[in-house]
Amino acid sequence: MPSKGPSAGAFKRRGGRFAGTSDAEFGKFLSPEQQHLLRKRREAEQREAKRRRSLAGVVLTVAAAAAGGVWALLWL
């Protein structure tokens, strides 16, 4: 009887499947209150990461503008 799924060798050739994250990392085994706190903590971490990326973008933009100004002054 033929198997319905791909062979083990097929997974190795294609690099395997995406494993994702475990249920424990999502907090499925935590109490509702702990899940809520975990969700709030992740949201706060995401906001902080977004703020850092925004700040880095502003700093890079100012640095690029300053470099462009210096370059323009040198070519005058």
Side-chain angles (χ1 to χ4, degrees):
M1 179 187 291
S3 68
K4 296 187 182 203
S7 67
F11 284 124
K12 289 180 184 176
R13 286 190 300 273
R14 286 186 272 168
R17 292 220 182 240
F18 175 71
T21 56
S22 69
D23 288 343
E25 289 181 33
F26 282 122
K28 289 186 177 183
F29 302 110
L30 300 175
S31 71
E33 181 182 2
Q34 289 172 324
Q35 288 178 2
H36 174 74
L37 293 173
L38 180 62
R39 189 169 29 254
K40 290 295 183 183
R41 184 174 131 215
R42 284 187 182 147
E43 289 171 0
E45 289 171 353
Q46 288 175 349
R47 281 193 305 273
E48 180 65 21
K50 185 176 180 181
R51 188 189 64 79
R52 282 193 308 267
R53 286 191 304 267
S54 297
L55 182 61
V58 168
V59 169
L60 287 175
T61 302
V62 169
V70 169
W71 180 79
L73 286 175
L74 292 174
W75 283 95
L76 286 179

